[in-house]
Amino acid sequence: MNLKDQMKKLYDQKFEEKYPLVCFLTNYVTVLDLVDMCIHSGGSPVLTDEISEAHEMVEFSGSDAVVMNFGTINREYLDIMTMTGVTANRAGVPVILDPAAITASSFRKYAITHLLDEVKVSILKGNLGEIKFILGYETKNKGIDSFEDETGGEKYCIELAKKLNTVVVMTGKTDIITDGERIARVSNGNAKLKKICGAGSSVASIMATYSGLTDDYFLSATLGAAVMGVASELAEERMTEKDGIRTFKAYVHDAVSMLTTEELMKRVNLETR
């Protein structure tokens, strides 16, 4: 079965009311976007920011996946993430990490290094600047935005995937997904996504939801990238000259929630090797 057929089979499970439970440790800026995207994708969210329950949250709730987002990281939240991640690793629950804005301060550099030393992540999703930063290269990032030339991005994704033994996703004009051996390129999307706060974080939420239904995280990551890319194209098609970015964002959410398997498979622009 090729990757596209596997994606179809996994996406079909969205409509089987399985409701994978996703535990979110995320930033306070985009939290609603993430939990909404989880629900749109057929999942069920649970959240915590209480350190006294972090060590038991995953096992006690029966979570199927964990999302961690660095957007508004602080020292206590780093401890919560670390404890939850260690528990997830022990329970065999996938951890999806979004290292948002890690280039912004020396504390964030320490935080990402500490977390990756303590927690095995299943999917690391970021822009090229964040991926290069984790590898120790200089970057052109400013806050959450990357200004890197993505032409040679694949080599950095492969390098990090092999270093961490994980699936790495580089979001950009073309999304690159790799586990160090397999490579997928998803070329769907719309430029307006860059103007939406939370668009990148939302991709991680979709990936996590489908990671709760499979142990092939290369597959779930590729599916998540495809869903977001196709949804943004469908959103653009609804736009009129009187519609602005906030309307576009609402249309993206609508498209994710209403996207059929047939439409996804018809529109996905996927290359593999």
Side-chain angles (χ1 to χ4, degrees):
M1 187 181 296
N2 62 35
L3 181 59
K4 189 172 180 180
D5 289 339
Q6 290 176 301
M7 289 166 61
K8 179 182 183 301
K9 184 176 180 181
L10 180 57
Y11 192 70
D12 279 339
Q13 295 186 53
K14 169 183 176 177
F15 308 101
E16 296 175 6
E17 299 184 350
K18 295 184 175 181
Y19 305 118
L21 184 63
V22 182
C23 178
F24 287 90
L25 303 170
T26 187
N27 68 74
Y28 54 74
V29 179
T30 64
V31 59
L32 183 58
D33 293 319
L34 269 68
V35 298
D36 277 348
M37 283 297 186
C38 174
I39 295 168
H40 299 336
S41 301
S44 178
V46 62
L47 294 87
T48 183
D49 57 6
E50 172 53 53
I51 196 165
S52 66
E53 70 177 6
H55 68 287
E56 68 173 14
M57 186 69 184
V58 173
E59 291 176 308
F60 194 85
S61 69
S63 296
D64 297 298
V66 175
V67 174
M68 299 182 181
N69 184 296
F70 264 48
T72 53
I73 190 74
N74 58 42
R75 190 168 297 276
E76 183 177 36
Y77 216 42
L78 175 60
D79 291 341
I80 294 171
M81 286 185 179
T82 303
M83 294 171 68
T84 305
V86 169
T87 304
N89 287 169
R90 183 174 67 243
V93 174
V95 175
I96 291 76
L97 176 62
D98 187 343
I102 55 168
T103 65
S105 71
S106 59
F107 170 71
R108 289 168 182 259
K109 182 177 182 179
Y110 159 77
I112 191 66
T113 301
H114 171 77
L115 187 72
L116 290 175
D117 283 344
E118 298 294 327
V119 177
K120 170 70 171 68
V121 300
S122 301
I123 300 172
L124 189 151
K125 182 219 69 71
N127 59 45
L128 179 54
E130 291 160 351
I131 290 167
K132 289 175 66 175
F133 186 77
I134 294 171
L135 286 167
Y137 296 104
E138 290 187 6
T139 74
K140 299 176 182 178
N141 272 32
K142 293 182 180 179
I144 61 171
D145 295 318
S146 175
F147 296 90
E148 301 285 336
D149 179 1
E150 297 176 356
T151 305
E154 184 177 298
K155 67 179 182 181
Y156 298 106
C157 297
I158 294 171
E159 181 180 349
L160 186 57
K162 289 182 176 180
K163 180 179 179 179
L164 299 179
N165 187 28
T166 191
V167 174
V168 171
V169 180
M170 185 198 88
T171 54
K173 187 174 182 180
T174 294
D175 295 333
I176 297 173
I177 305 97
T178 182
D179 59 4
E181 300 296 333
R182 296 176 292 176
I183 299 171
R185 300 173 69 91
V186 177
S187 298
N188 298 95
N190 183 271
K192 287 189 177 72
L193 283 176
K194 292 196 70 173
K195 298 182 179 181
I196 294 178
C197 180
S201 301
S202 295
V203 178
S205 177
I206 299 169
M207 292 176 178
T209 304
Y210 295 115
S211 294
L213 297 171
T214 180
D215 58 4
D216 185 348
Y217 306 125
F218 174 77
L219 170 61
S220 56
T222 306
L223 177 59
V227 167
M228 191 62 166
V230 170
S232 70
E233 293 173 355
L234 291 169
E236 173 62 21
E237 291 172 8
R238 288 183 64 184
M239 296 287 282
T240 71
E241 60 181 16
K242 293 183 178 180
D243 291 330
I245 293 299
R246 192 72 177 183
T247 301
F248 177 73
K249 181 176 182 177
Y251 287 165
V252 171
H253 278 255
D254 285 348
V256 172
S257 69
M258 299 174 69
L259 183 60
T260 65
T261 304
E262 181 182 11
E263 187 75 9
L264 176 63
M265 292 298 105
K266 180 177 72 174
R267 300 185 66 126
V268 64
N269 187 352
L270 176 69
E271 299 176 41
T272 60
R273 67 174 177 83

